[in-house]
Amino acid sequence: MAKRAIILCNGGRSRRAICNYVKKRTHAETKKEKMEDGPPGPNWTYAPDANFRTAVKAAYTTVEVNGEYFKTSTINTITNLDVDGVTYFPKTISDLTGIEGFTALTFLGCGNNSLNSLDVTQNIALDFFCCNGNSLNTLNVSTNTALTELQCDNNSITSLDVTQNTALTGLDCNDNQLTSLDVSDISGLTNLYCRGNQLTTLDVSANTALESLVCSSNQLTSLDVSTNVLLEELLCGSNQLTSLDVSANTPLQSLDCGSNQLTSLDVSANTALQSLDCGSNQLTSLDVSTNVLLEELVCGSNQLTTLDVSTNVLLESLVCSSNQLTTLDVSTNVLLEELVCGSNQLTSLNVSTNVLLGSLVCGSNQLTSLNVSVNTGLTNLDCSGNQLTTLDVSANTALW
């Protein structure tokens, strides 16, 4: 091109005319190149990200690709598309432009990529949509009214409007930057995960079908779950709760309310509990006598002076460290594999019936003796900070 411009110049054309001519030619050539890649228009869908095109082509060999374009007729009948970055090209898809041509999609998985924007407003048939693990700041799902499952966790989303998504049964928006979340119109919601945001309030009173609620690591000062009578899992730890009433939640199997400001906790009605974490609160007492199905109990870092676990014969893990316990009877807890009772005021500890123990942490007490001869499965033992004068670990050959 440069050589031809010089010849034209010798022929008497002005410099301005030559420049205009060159610009026109350059534009024409660019347009021709794009036409060769695939002509824009209703028969072709523009998809500039090469990794996106490659992932689609890998999943559907019948898709026609021409340069930066999909042939629309070969993608608009696809109902299931999984271009998750973990499965295909880790974190390499940065632009999902072209997804609007997949108008029949009911399933879209595009998580774990490098997307900072995403437009699914034309994908109105979507039923399952997963875009977790990207760098999204915003997400518009107002037109996706058929959605039953939305997973947009691990992004940087500051607001999320799901008021139009009344068919949702599962919503995972964990680990974003949400300051509010309105789920009042989603009566059929069974699973709500909104952990790791900046929520100060959360109203789930209309979500009577909830079975799992995970709202830990927010800034909640209160939480009313009295209408959520089907709850089986409630994780609300690391908030600012001063009280929690779970008396109506009799199906509860897992309750984590640790790292709050609770001064009392009544779990007497929660006889189905298998896991309870109420550590790092301000509890002065805890009654778990009716929770006979408990397998895991974490109640460390409170102000407990007594703890009766005699009826909890299924316990496999007990963490009750950093309290004010002077005695602890674990003789009926023959299934215990982990016992952490350090930083109390224990003067004795009998673990002779706990033959399955793999980890025993009883440091910083007032123990004068400790017999671990029958605990041959121990791999971890910490009994430092006591008043022991002797310790026989000859039978504990598995110790690290």
Side-chain angles (χ1 to χ4, degrees):
M1 289 298 299
K3 184 176 181 180
R4 188 171 184 179
I6 292 171
I7 293 171
L8 290 172
C9 184
N10 290 337
R13 286 182 182 265
S14 68
R15 182 182 298 274
R16 182 174 181 181
I18 296 167
C19 291
N20 288 340
Y21 180 79
V22 171
K23 286 179 181 178
K24 288 179 182 178
R25 290 292 297 164
T26 302
H27 175 73
E29 286 180 359
T30 302
K31 185 176 180 180
K32 180 180 179 182
E33 288 170 0
K34 287 192 172 293
M35 288 293 287
E36 290 173 352
D37 286 344
N43 297 324
W44 295 90
T45 299
Y46 181 51
D49 193 298
N51 291 319
F52 176 36
R53 298 193 304 271
T54 301
V56 171
K57 188 66 176 175
Y60 294 96
T61 57
T62 56
V63 170
E64 293 186 28
V65 178
N66 191 346
E68 295 185 335
Y69 293 84
F70 292 125
K71 190 171 184 179
T72 306
S73 61
T74 64
I75 63 172
N76 63 11
T77 57
I78 293 175
T79 59
N80 188 315
L81 182 61
D82 184 1
V83 290
D84 188 281
V86 172
T87 307
Y88 294 99
F89 304 88
K91 290 289 180 185
T92 56
I93 297 179
S94 58
D95 190 347
L96 218 65
T97 297
I99 197 65
E100 65 275 7
F102 295 76
T103 53
L105 280 183
T106 58
F107 176 99
L108 174 58
C110 56
N112 302 300
N113 280 291
S114 303
L115 303 173
N116 53 36
S117 64
L118 181 58
D119 184 357
V120 290
T121 55
Q122 302 303 309
N123 310 103
I124 60 175
L126 275 178
D127 173 72
F128 186 105
F129 177 32
C130 177
C131 57
N132 65 304
N134 281 286
S135 303
L136 301 176
N137 295 312
T138 60
L139 183 64
N140 183 0
V141 289
S142 59
T143 64
N144 311 107
T145 56
L147 276 178
T148 61
E149 183 77 23
L150 172 59
Q151 299 175 7
C152 56
D153 52 298
N154 289 284
N155 278 286
S156 302
I157 300 171
T158 55
S159 64
L160 182 65
D161 183 358
V162 289
T163 55
Q164 303 303 311
N165 310 104
T166 56
L168 279 175
T169 58
L171 172 59
D172 186 349
C173 53
N174 282 344
D175 301 312
N176 278 286
Q177 299 175 21
L178 302 177
T179 56
S180 63
L181 182 64
D182 183 359
V183 290
S184 58
D185 293 324
I186 315 176
S187 59
L189 199 62
T190 58
N191 300 295
L192 173 58
Y193 308 127
C194 53
R195 177 197 68 220
N197 281 283
Q198 302 167 24
L199 304 178
T200 55
T201 61
L202 182 63
D203 183 358
V204 290
S205 58
N207 312 108
T208 55
L210 269 183
E211 297 175 1
S212 179
L213 173 58
V214 178
C215 56
S216 48
S217 299
N218 278 285
Q219 301 168 23
L220 303 176
T221 55
S222 63
L223 182 63
D224 183 357
V225 290
S226 58
T227 63
N228 312 109
V229 296
L230 300 180
L231 268 183
E232 297 178 359
E233 178 184 44
L234 174 58
L235 309 184
C236 56
S238 300
N239 278 287
Q240 301 168 23
L241 303 177
T242 55
S243 64
L244 181 65
D245 183 358
V246 289
S247 59
N249 314 108
T250 54
L252 266 184
Q253 298 177 23
S254 179
L255 172 60
D256 180 354
C257 54
S259 299
N260 277 287
Q261 301 169 23
L262 303 178
T263 56
S264 64
L265 181 65
D266 183 358
V267 289
S268 58
N270 311 106
T271 55
L273 270 181
Q274 298 176 22
S275 176
L276 171 60
D277 184 346
C278 55
S280 300
N281 278 286
Q282 301 170 24
L283 303 177
T284 56
S285 64
L286 180 64
D287 182 0
V288 289
S289 59
T290 63
N291 311 110
V292 296
L293 299 180
L294 268 183
E295 298 176 1
E296 178 184 18
L297 173 59
V298 178
C299 56
S301 299
N302 278 286
Q303 301 168 24
L304 304 177
T305 55
T306 62
L307 181 63
D308 182 359
V309 289
S310 59
T311 63
N312 312 110
V313 296
L314 299 181
L315 268 184
E316 297 177 0
S317 177
L318 172 59
V319 178
C320 56
S321 51
S322 300
N323 278 287
Q324 302 169 24
L325 303 176
T326 55
T327 62
L328 182 63
D329 182 359
V330 289
S331 59
T332 63
N333 312 110
V334 296
L335 299 181
L336 267 184
E337 298 177 2
E338 178 186 39
L339 175 57
V340 181
C341 56
S343 300
N344 278 287
Q345 302 169 24
L346 302 177
T347 56
S348 64
L349 182 64
N350 185 353
V351 289
S352 60
T353 62
N354 313 109
V355 296
L356 299 180
L357 271 181
S359 179
L360 173 59
V361 179
C362 55
S364 300
N365 277 287
Q366 301 171 23
L367 303 178
T368 55
S369 64
L370 182 64
N371 186 353
V372 289
S373 59
V374 300
N375 311 106
T376 55
L378 277 177
T379 58
N380 178 43
L381 173 61
D382 181 356
C383 54
S384 59
N386 280 286
Q387 302 171 23
L388 303 175
T389 55
T390 61
L391 181 65
D392 183 2
V393 291
S394 58
N396 311 105
T397 58
L399 279 174
W400 293 349

